[in-house]
Amino acid sequence: MIQVQNLVKDFKLTRKIRKEMGEEFKNRKTLRAVDKISFTCHPGRIFALLGPNGAGKTTTLRMIATMLKPTSGTIEVGGYDCQKNPQKIREKIGFMTGQTALYDRLTPYEMVKYIADLHEMDSSVFESRKDKIFEMLKIHEFANRRIARLSSGMKQKTSIARTIIHDPDVMVFDEPTTGLDVMTSRAIIKLIRSCKDEGKTVIFSSHRMGEVNQVCDDMAIIYKGSLFFNGGLDKFKSEMTHETFEDEFIHMVGEA
Amino acid sequence: MRKIITIYKKELKDSLRDRRTLFMMIVLPLILIPGIILLMTKVQMAQAKKAMGKEIKVAFIGGDFTPELIQMFAEKGRIQFIKDSPVDSVEILVRRGELDGGVVITSGFNQLVSNDEQGTVRVIFKKSDDAFGVLEKRLISTIEQYDQQIVDKRISRLGLDKNLFNPIDIVKTDVSTTREKLAETAGGFLPYLFILFTFMGAMYPGLDLGAGEKERGTMETILSSPASRLEIVLGKFGVIMTAGIATALISFASLNVAVQLFPEIPVDILDIISSMLGVKMVALILTLIIPIAIFFSAAILSLSIYARSFKEAQSIVTPLNIAIIVPAAIGLTPGMELNKITALIPILNVSLATKEMLSGSINWILLSEVYASLIVLAGFSLWFCVKWFNREETIFRN
């Protein structure tokens, strides 16, 4: 489970950034990327964080993954506080982005083994889990080829394998389908669904309304760091005053 | 510790598969050092030989006043006398390169010399065109020989003892050993080379493991793993340092091979050079290279982590070369010695201490000062690197 309470994240603004951002930020020393947001993601359910670019989705997910420290507020992942036990949280999560984020000079086998070693997985456990995942994703045929020489589909499969090799309880997907072709996007969506079926806690961010509608159980709409909606997908649909997700979203944030 | 080793092993494997790193770490010192030494010496020797054997074109003005001198020049050979040039034009012709030199003998030279007086011989040459001093040596040494002949004749005519004009017999006794002399000449160059290669070897893996990782998006992969920031930094840092030290060691080995391959070096000098570059000496120099490699690795990694891309990292780290070359080059200055102050200046102290080690005259108190300053510098740079890596503004500067 992920519990986020009154989460705030301020970024320091350097003089150069202030200048680039224009008059509005001229005298501001910080930029609030996330502003007092709260939500809960439950095991066996898919939680979507929906918002346009720059809304604060990635910052929120990075705080959940303990890459960034909150300015205030709390995050608990699997019962561990992100400030007090960041390492325990990182042991429990699998983090994946739209970028494959792989080492080009390694092979898929070496890449997955590296992550498994960082999780200090027992070698026999690793071998059986690796075989299962490689079989499922059909990685065996290119497992010993350098990643640089793989197609984008093969790379994405490798990226999935390295994310789930340690069998994490919590899956964090940061815009996982951005920039991917239809086939690869479908594979990712399939992975998200299978994680749910396995009873994992899944949170994913997206700016695509259709995608959210397709997979999520619960959702939060974030815009300029603030939450505009937090609840079940069914509740959102029932409260919609516009025909499409897009129109509803624009209507919602347009009021802000 | 297990995670540090995991990161170290992976980063090492990754770096060794990078052609740029391999080139800087192995190929460059292996080819460059013997290449530079052999090429430079061969070219220099060939040029000197060519200059010595070259027929020089010299204007002789007033040669009629001293046929003996002309005869001496003629006996030495490889000289073409130009006798018709007007006096005023000789300087101009030498400056233009149309003549190699000029000898102007003042009128009445023979008369003056016969009267036991002093005659003047003016030698015109262009030093900037005479890199090996051959022309100056060939002209002046012959005139000096002629001068000595006249003096000898005068002394014998007067029935005087030669020692009358040489009251002091200066006997020069140089107590420096061949090893010390070698250390003074080549000793400055060697540490310069090793410092530079340590830096060059550390540079590419440093750029790749920091900025390269950011650019590829793999930084998030490792940051979301159970490894702590400290473990990540130490794993990466270890590889960068290994690359730097390995490059320095390869350059040592390469230099050793290059020296052995060089046929013109006399056997006794070769033995001294071999002992200077022997295992014991390498181990001793390595104790200086390790802390400096820590400093380089931490500095490169810090800058690399700060950069947004590999390209930006390159543009930040490249000027650092100058900061390293300058103190290392100061160590090459003749007369520059290790003292209480220079022992505290990073890089310069390594350069000077290595020079002393090679000459075999180590001042252990100053050397411990060097170690102390290097350990403090290495410790501080590593501490800074870890702290820097923990800053969100550095890691997520994008």
Side-chain angles (χ1 to χ4, degrees):
Chain A
M1 186 189 278
I2 303 170
Q3 277 186 305
V4 175
Q5 287 290 323
N6 291 319
L7 191 64
V8 173
K9 181 65 187 174
D10 291 334
F11 285 114
K12 279 180 201 160
L13 292 176
T14 61
R15 199 180 298 166
K16 195 184 166 195
I17 295 172
R18 282 205 297 265
K19 214 175 164 185
E20 281 169 7
M21 291 177 85
E23 277 301 305
E24 197 190 333
F25 293 88
K26 202 178 169 185
N27 297 315
R28 284 167 65 174
K29 289 195 171 169
T30 57
L31 169 77
R32 182 150 291 188
V34 174
D35 192 11
K36 289 180 189 161
I37 64 168
S38 303
F39 59 83
T40 305
C41 312
H42 300 277
R45 291 181 74 81
I46 299 171
F47 187 94
L49 203 53
L50 182 68
N53 292 337
K57 304 186 295 291
T58 299
T59 303
T60 305
L61 296 187
R62 280 178 176 173
M63 282 191 280
I64 290 171
T66 76
M67 281 185 247
L68 291 173
K69 282 181 186 158
T71 306
S72 65
T74 58
I75 301 171
E76 266 189 29
V77 179
Y80 292 107
D81 184 275
C82 80
Q83 302 260 40
K84 291 176 192 155
N85 297 95
Q87 195 179 331
K88 286 278 177 201
I89 291 177
R90 289 197 298 272
E91 281 170 12
K92 283 181 171 291
I93 63 163
F95 189 88
M96 193 178 173
T97 67
Q99 271 186 298
T100 50
L102 302 169
Y103 296 100
D104 278 353
R105 293 186 288 267
L106 296 187
T107 65
Y109 173 80
E110 288 166 342
M111 178 76 220
V112 173
K113 178 85 170 75
Y114 176 49
I115 300 298
D117 286 345
L118 286 176
H119 281 274
E120 298 182 354
M121 278 177 83
D122 184 81
S123 58
S124 60
V125 176
F126 163 72
E127 283 300 328
S128 71
R129 185 144 175 88
K130 182 256 312 173
D131 283 340
K132 193 181 149 194
I133 295 168
F134 277 24
E135 188 62 44
M136 181 178 84
L137 297 168
K138 295 188 172 55
I139 292 177
H140 278 301
E141 56 198 80
F142 57 86
N144 294 312
R145 236 188 277 166
R146 294 266 177 99
I147 289 169
R149 291 175 201 143
L150 302 180
S151 68
S152 45
M154 289 167 171
K155 283 181 183 172
Q156 201 59 45
K157 283 179 181 178
T158 309
S159 188
I160 293 170
R162 66 114 180 123
T163 311
I164 60 173
I165 186 67
H166 55 290
D167 198 12
D169 296 334
V170 178
M171 295 294 296
V172 181
F173 295 94
D174 185 14
E175 305 219 15
T177 58
T178 303
L180 300 180
D181 60 58
V182 182
M183 295 300 284
T184 322
S185 296
R186 195 169 281 185
I188 302 284
I189 298 295
K190 200 177 152 192
L191 169 74
I192 293 173
R193 283 197 180 120
S194 72
C195 288
K196 175 193 168 177
D197 296 341
E198 286 171 30
K200 296 181 193 297
T201 305
V202 182
I203 179 166
F204 87 101
S205 69
S206 180
H207 60 266
R208 295 181 189 169
M209 316 292 166
E211 192 174 77
V212 170
N213 187 26
Q214 215 182 338
V215 285
C216 81
D217 302 304
D218 304 309
M219 64 183 278
I221 291 177
I222 186 168
Y223 183 64
K224 288 187 177 174
S226 301
L227 281 194
F228 283 80
F229 176 84
N230 179 18
L233 181 67
D234 296 338
K235 187 185 166 208
F236 181 78
K237 282 179 178 170
S238 66
E239 287 174 5
M240 272 171 72
T241 54
H242 291 76
E243 254 184 52
T244 64
F245 263 45
E246 275 83 0
D247 289 342
E248 186 62 26
F249 175 79
I250 290 164
H251 166 74
M252 215 174 232
V253 299
E255 286 174 356
Chain B
M1 193 65 191
R2 202 170 141 185
K3 290 192 186 89
I4 298 173
I5 295 167
T6 301
I7 294 168
Y8 177 86
K9 277 160 71 180
K10 178 260 153 191
E11 299 292 18
L12 188 65
K13 186 188 277 178
D14 201 9
S15 294
L16 288 173
R17 287 178 182 175
D18 180 20
R19 279 189 202 148
R20 284 173 303 193
T21 303
L22 275 185
F23 181 78
M24 297 299 271
M25 201 172 133
I26 300 168
V27 183
L28 203 66
L30 269 181
I31 293 173
L32 205 66
I33 293 182
I36 289 175
I37 291 176
L38 289 173
L39 194 78
M40 273 176 64
T41 333
K42 290 270 180 199
V43 168
Q44 224 170 16
M45 285 177 77
Q47 290 294 326
K49 209 173 164 186
K50 197 178 155 192
M52 289 299 280
K54 182 192 165 193
E55 187 181 69
I56 51 172
K57 223 163 131 184
V58 181
F60 269 85
I61 315 291
D64 299 339
F65 303 122
T66 169
E68 276 177 297
L69 181 60
I70 299 293
Q71 181 62 31
M72 281 176 80
F73 274 121
E75 279 167 12
K76 299 252 164 151
R78 289 170 287 129
I79 191 159
Q80 189 187 339
F81 299 104
I82 309 291
K83 291 184 177 171
D84 309 328
S85 305
V87 184
D88 301 340
S89 65
V90 175
E91 267 189 44
I92 298 162
L93 292 171
V94 171
R95 193 168 291 132
R96 277 193 207 150
E98 288 175 32
L99 284 176
D100 292 310
V103 176
V104 181
I105 297 151
T106 49
S107 62
F109 178 88
N110 250 0
Q111 191 62 41
L112 285 165
V113 170
S114 307
N115 293 342
D116 289 349
E117 288 178 62
Q118 194 182 49
T120 306
V121 177
R122 207 172 132 225
V123 180
I124 301 161
F125 60 96
K126 197 176 173 190
K127 179 84 179 162
S128 57
D129 283 355
D130 187 26
F132 298 96
V134 174
L135 191 84
E136 191 185 347
K137 270 182 222 158
R138 273 163 72 178
L139 291 181
I140 291 172
S141 68
T142 312
I143 298 167
E144 278 172 350
Q145 256 180 297
Y146 180 52
D147 180 51
Q148 192 56 49
Q149 269 184 26
I150 298 169
V151 171
D152 289 347
K153 275 183 196 167
R154 285 179 181 178
I155 289 170
S156 100
R157 183 164 41 85
L158 294 168
L160 299 171
D161 193 287
K162 261 189 182 180
N163 292 341
L164 192 68
F165 301 98
N166 296 304
I168 301 170
D169 181 18
I170 303 169
V171 180
K172 291 178 187 170
T173 311
D174 183 2
V175 292
S176 58
T177 61
T178 317
R179 183 191 175 119
E180 283 167 337
K181 283 179 205 161
L182 271 173
E184 187 53 39
T185 50
F189 178 67
L190 290 182
Y192 174 79
L193 207 68
F194 299 140
I195 290 167
L196 208 65
F197 273 105
T198 307
F199 181 79
M200 277 164 64
M203 196 167 87
Y204 268 98
L207 297 178
D208 191 53
L209 301 187
E213 183 124 45
K214 262 185 172 182
E215 202 172 69
R216 288 188 295 266
T218 45
M219 192 63 96
E220 283 184 338
T221 307
I222 194 164
L223 288 176
S224 62
S225 79
S228 69
R229 300 268 168 110
L230 178 69
E231 288 165 329
I232 297 169
V233 172
L234 292 180
K236 285 177 180 292
F237 163 83
V239 173
I240 301 166
M241 194 180 83
T242 305
I245 293 171
T247 312
L249 286 175
I250 291 168
S251 66
F252 258 113
S254 168
L255 187 69
N256 233 331
V257 172
V259 168
Q260 305 293 335
L261 286 174
F262 198 66
E264 281 82 359
I265 300 174
V267 180
D268 55 334
I269 294 188
L270 200 66
D271 287 344
I272 295 166
I273 294 173
S274 297
S275 80
M276 279 166 81
L277 298 172
V279 177
K280 207 172 159 188
M281 189 52 66
V282 171
L284 203 56
I285 294 175
L286 204 61
T287 60
L288 290 170
I289 294 289
I290 288 172
I292 210 76
I294 295 176
F295 166 61
F296 286 165
S297 309
I300 294 169
L301 187 58
S302 300
L303 293 172
S304 175
I305 293 165
Y306 177 73
R308 290 187 182 97
S309 64
F310 192 90
K311 212 172 173 184
E312 191 188 348
Q314 256 180 323
S315 64
I316 297 172
V317 172
T318 308
L320 198 65
N321 264 312
I322 297 161
I324 283 145
I325 288 169
V326 171
I330 292 172
L332 289 168
T333 319
M336 182 60 79
E337 280 180 350
L338 196 66
N339 56 40
K340 279 180 187 171
I341 295 162
T342 53
L344 294 173
I345 303 170
I347 303 167
L348 175 64
N349 56 7
V350 174
S351 182
L352 297 173
T354 311
K355 212 161 132 178
E356 292 216 346
M357 281 176 178
L358 291 170
S359 71
S361 55
I362 306 166
N363 179 331
W364 292 101
I365 296 169
L366 288 177
L367 192 65
S368 41
E369 204 182 309
V370 172
Y371 281 123
S373 99
L374 288 175
I375 289 165
V376 169
L377 180 75
F380 173 77
S381 51
L382 190 55
W383 168 82
F384 176 81
C385 186
V386 173
K387 205 172 164 51
W388 193 238
F389 195 76
N390 272 297
R391 281 180 85 230
E392 288 175 359
E393 292 87 347
T394 311
I395 296 290
F396 296 106
R397 200 169 147 238
N398 295 1

